[in-house]
Amino acid sequence: QVQLVESGGGLVQPGGSLRLSCATSGLTFSQYHMSWYRQAPGKEREFVAGIGVFGSSTNYLESVKGRFAISRDNGKNTVYLQMNSLKPEDTAVYLCRAVGLAPGVTGRTYWGQGTQVTVSS
């Protein structure tokens, strides 16, 4: 059974930092592209950051470039999102997603349950 479990969310003041983690199990982590999405109340889910299977390729939502950094540890089957200089508009539930890229798992998509990030003074 595939599981993606996010952690690290919480309440932080504007300008603060958080590090989110998404621990996976039940899949061959190195065969999956990993990404973070977020969904704020009343808004559509949006892509935040993505990382290729070896970690050398990353891309970001324009509004988080220079503030957020995605990384992965294939030995720990975990993807991270370091969030710095947080703004109130970053408030949302953050979810991780895994999409299979290797033969046999191509297109398989899994989501975590999400972790709440609230940026407020």
Side-chain angles (χ1 to χ4, degrees), residues 23-78:
T24 72
S25 60
L27 53 74
T28 303
F29 187 69
S30 61
Q31 294 181 340
Y32 285 77
H33 179 276
M34 299 300 298
S35 52
W36 287 95
Y37 282 70
R38 67 187 182 187
Q39 188 162 19
K43 295 189 176 180
E44 299 218 341
R45 187 172 295 184
E46 67 176 352
F47 169 84
V48 176
I51 188 166
V53 296
F54 298 115
S56 57
S57 173
T58 59
N59 58 323
Y60 295 92
L61 176 69
E62 190 65 32
S63 62
V64 308
K65 283 182 180 178
R67 300 188 298 122
F68 290 11
I70 188 170
S71 62
R72 65 189 294 160
D73 185 334
N74 285 359
K76 295 183 177 179
N77 300 332
T78 301

